[in-house]
Amino acid sequence: LLEQGDMASLSAGEVVREMAFSGGRMTVARCRPVRSGLKIAGLLIEIESAATPRRRSRTSVRNASAAGLAAAGLVGTSDSWRRVADRCAQLVPTPPVRIEGEAGTGKMALARHPHQSLRPGSTCTALPATLEGVLGTEEWLRRALAGIQPGASSAGPGTLVLSHVDWLSEPAAAALGDILDLVKDPAPLVISTVTPGERSVCGPLEDRLRTQVVAVPPLRGRPEDIAGIADVLIRRHASGPTVPRIVPNALRLLMRHVWPGNVRELEALVIRVVADGRAHDITPSDLAELGSGSPFGRSLGNLEALEREAIIRALRDAKANKTRAALALGMSRSTLYRKITHYRIDPDRVVLG
């Protein structure tokens, strides 16, 4: 069922394979890892019928998208991360792509995936909107224009990645919109990133850029992905001859932490822990800083973490409607308000997960 190269994909997420039985019936097998700490202890295999060629084609595209993300170190098996992979599989080359998510969730890392999958071989220019204040509006726009024009080594237009596009001034946003209107044949791929709730993109530019949206969930909304993400980060930054292993008790601490800084905060922690070139296991004593790093002043206990996650899921299902969420949770609205305050939950942001 599995090929040699699938083990790397399994460590990062899931592997999907199509199989034909002797009678010609096609099935789809989904293989997910079952972990003990960071080690894969077994596999969970789900087999379902692949009823039509169209469905098989969608499965192949979805699998290729997840594999491409995993190859870039963007991993996960949670439902919220699978929705990200599914959305990336649906992207098409021409309309602009908007990537939304909290600070530190990996928006820029994710932005490279649409470029590589939709415009392979073309140039890619990353241009933070915050540089406008350093370069000046005219120079910033000149670089934006250069980024969407065909490069010397590519026949087609380039890809322009605009990070923090919500920080552009109104004159720059208006001029950029005019540039994008003029450069249409062939059209460049424009990928922008924003952090919802910080600032607003100027109206006309917002209409142009917010065509295909990928919402990146916060790390606290997918604790089951932390083992795989930590494994990728440890392998990336470990400097010793062997890769340290996170013991189960330490992994539980990582999964309980609320990660206000998301993947960026986790990566910073991993860098500090493995900076000594260690070869021994990572234990809870190595993660003592997590208590002070939490917005609660400590890591949440098991029941608190479960309750917080249940509230987040209810708010997400209810589209941030607190009355419906309270009804689904079986608690009064005043109790829900109190718990939202206690757990530092932003109802308007949880829908991103």
Side-chain angles (χ1 to χ4, degrees):
L1 175 62
L2 296 179
E3 301 170 358
Q4 185 67 31
D6 290 332
M7 295 312 296
S9 297
L10 266 178
S11 67
E14 70 173 11
V15 171
V16 181
R17 284 284 174 267
E18 295 180 354
M19 301 185 301
F21 286 96
S22 56
R25 186 166 62 92
M26 295 296 297
T27 61
V28 174
R30 297 181 181 276
C31 306
R32 299 189 193 181
V34 177
R35 296 181 181 273
S36 174
L38 288 182
K39 186 178 180 181
I40 296 179
L43 298 176
L44 173 64
I45 301 177
E46 299 175 300
I47 298 177
E48 60 181 8
S49 174
T52 66
R54 183 178 179 183
R55 180 177 176 181
R56 291 199 300 273
S57 176
R58 287 200 302 266
T59 300
S60 299
V61 171
R62 194 178 302 125
N63 192 29
S65 175
L69 291 170
L74 302 167
V75 300
T77 58
S78 64
D79 288 342
S80 57
W81 185 251
R82 290 174 67 183
R83 287 196 292 272
V84 172
D86 288 350
R87 184 69 186 102
C88 287
Q90 297 166 0
L91 298 177
V92 294
T94 302
V97 176
R98 163 70 60 81
I99 300 177
E100 300 179 346
E102 294 180 9
T105 48
K107 298 185 293 294
M108 280 301 292
L110 183 62
R112 301 187 191 101
H113 176 69
H115 164 69
Q116 292 167 351
S117 61
L118 299 176
R119 295 288 177 89
S122 67
T123 58
C124 182
T125 301
L127 186 60
T130 48
L131 282 183
E132 182 196 354
V134 178
L135 300 172
T137 301
E138 184 176 342
E139 173 61 18
W140 190 93
L141 289 168
R142 187 193 68 77
R143 296 192 183 193
L145 178 59
I148 60 178
Q149 292 176 331
S153 59
S154 61
T159 297
L160 179 63
V161 179
L162 301 171
S163 58
H164 308 294
V165 70
D166 41 340
W167 285 84
L168 270 186
S169 68
E170 288 190 22
L176 179 62
D178 292 339
I179 290 172
L180 296 179
D181 283 343
L182 291 173
V183 184
K184 286 186 175 180
D185 191 22
L189 175 61
V190 179
I191 304 172
S192 60
T193 74
V194 298
T195 301
E198 282 196 349
R199 298 166 66 97
S200 298
V201 181
C202 296
L205 185 62
E206 171 77 351
D207 295 338
R208 291 180 177 91
L209 297 184
R210 203 175 189 276
T211 305
Q212 302 184 95
V213 179
V214 180
V216 186
L219 189 56
R220 64 180 173 274
R222 51 187 189 117
E224 61 268 50
D225 293 338
I226 287 177
I229 296 171
D231 185 44
V232 169
L233 295 175
I234 290 171
R235 293 177 184 278
R236 179 182 299 167
H237 296 291
S239 56
T242 59
V243 178
R245 184 182 70 92
I246 300 181
V247 301
N249 285 345
L251 180 59
R252 280 192 284 273
L253 283 177
L254 295 178
M255 295 178 69
R256 288 178 193 168
H257 190 59
V258 293
W259 301 110
N262 293 292
V263 177
R264 183 184 299 152
E265 180 187 356
L266 175 58
E267 182 168 24
L269 173 65
V270 166
I271 291 173
R272 289 194 292 272
V273 170
V274 303
D276 58 0
R278 68 173 59 213
H280 57 275
D281 291 347
I282 297 172
T283 66
S285 63
D286 297 310
L287 307 176
E289 66 184 86
L290 287 185
S292 60
S294 166
F296 307 103
R298 58 182 174 82
S299 293
L300 296 177
N302 281 331
L303 292 178
E304 290 177 309
L306 288 172
E307 182 176 52
R308 188 177 190 278
E309 180 60 22
I311 292 172
I312 287 174
R313 290 183 184 277
L315 286 167
R316 185 179 300 143
D317 292 342
K319 307 298 184 188
N321 184 303
K322 300 179 188 65
T323 300
R324 287 168 49 199
L327 184 63
L329 290 165
M331 62 177 66
S332 67
R333 192 166 62 173
S334 60
T335 298
L336 177 60
Y337 273 94
R338 188 171 66 252
K339 290 183 179 294
I340 286 174
T341 301
H342 172 70
Y343 289 126
R344 310 282 181 90
I345 298 171
D346 184 343
D348 294 324
R349 287 191 176 186
V350 298
V351 294
L352 291 172

